[in-house]
Amino acid sequence: MTERVVLAYSGGLDTSVAIPFLAEKTGAEVIAVALDVGQDGEDLEVIRKRALACGAVEAVVVDAKEEFASDFCIPALQANALYMDRYPLLSSLSRPLIVKHLAAAARQYGGTAVSHGCTGKGNDQVRFEAGLAALYPELKVIAPARDYAWTRDKAIALAEEKGLPIDVSAKSPYSIDQNLWGRAVETGFLEDIWNGPIEDVYAYTSDPSVPREADEVTITFAAGVPTALDGRALSPYQLIAELNQRAGAQGVGRIDMVEDRLVGIKSREIYEAPAAITLLAAHMELENVTVERDQARFKRSVDQRWGELVYDGLWFSPLKASLDAFIASAQQHVTGDIRMTLHGGRAVVTGRRSGASLYDYDLATYDTGDTFDQSMAKGFVELWSLPSKIAAKRDRAQA
Ligand code: ARG
């Protein structure tokens, strides 16, 4: 029986060339799998037809937008996930979802191997293969771009040789990955880290320095899930998509950073994530209002670890599952409204309101009506300082 390889297909040059390449190298039949994760690119049907035209025996296209929003973006939001305090993990989130669908397609179509277009220098190869190791460890992995040292010129030559229906001249000078949670751009002149990004690099955000009127938005959360914008109930996908437009129009969410890759190198990446950055600021502030102090302090270290695990390709790991359970339990009271001003590249919280608030006006106020008994503070401070006081006394005596 002819073997079958399931290919993670994007519709671009490299994965299109991979179809005849895999068929030739392995003698296997190629099943192409493409996902819509809100990348706003070509129509799925166009991509499906292209896969078949390149020689795939089956082409599976999946509208995974709601699944990506609910099962990947929302958990990242609840974990306040920002790798190195800045990167909202957009590429890191889509890979485990793609892996799920690759494994499902392998089961459905009798695939014995999986293929992806990642190079050997990036994080995504790890995310694909560590994910597959957890979900379907029997599958072999073939990564043509990595394992056969493809270059762009080789890929173009192969496409021309095979007469593939791809417009090679349309390929951008950048390496771009985009989805509902944001957009990542690297390579080209950006590899000189002294070079500033030009406006041309951006697609999700408008230039924040252009004068325009500010926008104001109220985001409603229920147990850590954003459920409405300005009082209009929306699905997670709809809400994120709409916020990408509104925050993007104000230039919110541009990030230019050098990051530590899992494979050990530092790389420069430009991100734009208008909805993610806005929602993260809103969610963090609602947690400030509704999560008890010690739970919140502990959660910050959980959040940090969660982001590192996901960045490092360990979405399907036991530790990640345990941290998920903690994060879920800490979301119980994260319910209420956050009002924000979107303007000049920033999303700034201006108001909070919650039935589960721990902010007690009567305790906090400096006006009349104060219920905080300041006389209790005196003894508290004395006992709080006692260990330091005793130690300092000892140190003085021994000096
Ligand atoms: N550096 C990011 C990550 O590892 C994005 C990777 C994909 N970036 C790209 N421009 N193709 O998650």
Side-chain angles (χ1 to χ4, degrees):
M1 204 182 89
T2 324
E3 298 237 6
R4 298 188 136 189
V5 183
V6 178
L7 168 70
Y9 184 64
S10 71
L13 171 69
D14 290 313
T15 55
S16 293
V17 171
I19 297 175
F21 181 86
L22 286 167
E24 215 158 273
K25 269 275 178 242
T26 65
E29 292 177 340
V30 179
I31 318 265
V33 175
L35 267 67
D36 183 353
V37 285
Q39 65 268 43
D40 261 355
E42 290 172 312
D43 194 72
L44 277 182
E45 194 45 34
V46 173
I47 292 179
R48 202 182 69 81
K49 292 213 171 96
R50 183 174 309 138
L52 295 172
C54 291
V57 295
E58 298 274 359
V60 184
V61 293
V62 187
D63 178 353
K65 296 195 293 283
E66 289 287 356
E67 184 183 11
F68 182 57
S70 304
D71 299 351
F72 294 83
C73 301
I74 298 300
L77 175 62
Q78 295 183 336
N80 299 318
L82 288 172
Y83 180 68
M84 293 175 77
D85 299 327
R86 299 187 67 195
Y87 164 45
L89 293 181
L90 44 108
S91 301
S92 334
L93 295 173
S94 69
R95 292 331 183 248
L97 173 61
I98 297 170
V99 164
K100 259 181 80 176
H101 287 276
L102 290 175
R107 292 207 160 88
Q108 185 179 346
Y109 294 97
T112 52
V114 155
S115 181
H116 61 71
C118 306
T119 71
K121 287 178 77 168
N123 298 314
D124 288 328
Q125 56 174 340
V126 185
R127 297 174 185 144
F128 274 117
E129 293 176 35
L132 285 163
L135 296 191
Y136 201 158
E138 296 78 16
L139 292 175
K140 282 180 302 214
V141 180
I142 313 167
R146 175 188 67 192
D147 303 341
Y148 299 94
W150 281 10
T151 59
R152 187 183 162 168
D153 293 341
K154 267 203 221 171
I156 292 175
L158 257 168
E160 278 164 0
E161 182 196 315
K162 304 277 174 202
L164 299 185
I166 341 169
D167 181 6
V168 294
S169 64
K171 196 164 157 66
S172 125
Y174 309 114
S175 161
I176 300 170
D177 186 43
Q178 61 187 51
N179 60 47
L180 182 67
W181 206 232
R183 184 165 174 274
V185 187
E186 63 177 348
T187 73
F189 80 103
L190 297 167
E191 284 174 354
D192 179 338
I193 61 177
W194 184 249
N195 284 340
I198 49 172
E199 231 8 74
D200 185 50
V201 164
Y202 298 103
Y204 282 19
T205 52
S206 303
D207 183 348
S209 68
V210 170
R212 58 172 74 80
E213 224 172 287
D215 191 4
E216 188 180 84
V217 64
T218 299
I219 305 171
T220 302
F221 288 85
V225 180
T227 55
L229 287 185
D230 298 324
R232 275 176 303 113
L234 296 167
S235 74
Y237 167 71
Q238 291 169 328
L239 188 144
I240 297 166
E242 188 171 324
L243 210 46
N244 269 331
Q245 297 301 323
R246 283 177 67 177
Q250 299 287 337
V252 172
R254 291 186 173 187
I255 301 149
D256 175 353
M257 70 184 281
V258 170
E259 78 191 36
D260 283 308
R261 275 194 201 164
L262 179 53
V263 295
I265 60 178
K266 289 187 185 286
S267 64
R268 196 267 190 100
E269 194 100 48
I270 306 292
Y271 297 108
E272 37 182 356
I277 293 300
T278 303
L279 285 167
L280 286 161
H283 179 262
M284 284 181 209
E285 183 63 0
L286 191 57
E287 283 195 340
N288 288 345
V289 174
T290 57
V291 178
E292 182 274 332
R293 179 185 61 185
D294 280 319
Q295 197 181 20
R297 285 184 179 175
F298 189 75
K299 185 170 182 291
R300 281 193 262 283
S301 61
V302 172
D303 289 348
Q304 166 93 13
R305 197 70 193 92
W306 191 97
E308 288 165 355
L309 286 172
V310 171
Y311 185 87
D312 290 349
L314 300 175
W315 180 274
F316 298 106
S317 67
L319 178 56
K320 152 81 170 40
S322 298
L323 300 186
D324 281 338
F326 173 83
I327 291 168
S329 88
Q331 295 307 292
Q332 193 186 344
H333 299 295
V334 186
T335 296
D337 298 327
I338 295 290
R339 190 183 60 231
M340 305 184 87
T341 297
L342 310 172
H343 191 53
R346 305 212 307 142
V348 179
V349 174
T350 59
R352 323 90 181 121
R353 162 169 85 184
S354 168
S357 173
L358 298 174
Y359 177 87
D360 183 330
Y361 178 88
D362 294 336
L363 285 173
T365 185
Y366 285 94
D367 290 342
T368 43
D370 182 3
T371 58
F372 186 93
D373 180 357
Q374 297 200 31
S375 71
M376 294 192 307
K378 192 173 154 59
F380 165 75
V381 177
E382 213 154 295
L383 294 187
W384 184 249
S385 328
L386 191 56
S388 306
K389 190 171 169 182
I390 298 169
K393 195 170 153 199
R394 186 258 332 264
D395 294 348
R396 260 194 318 274
Q398 291 188 348

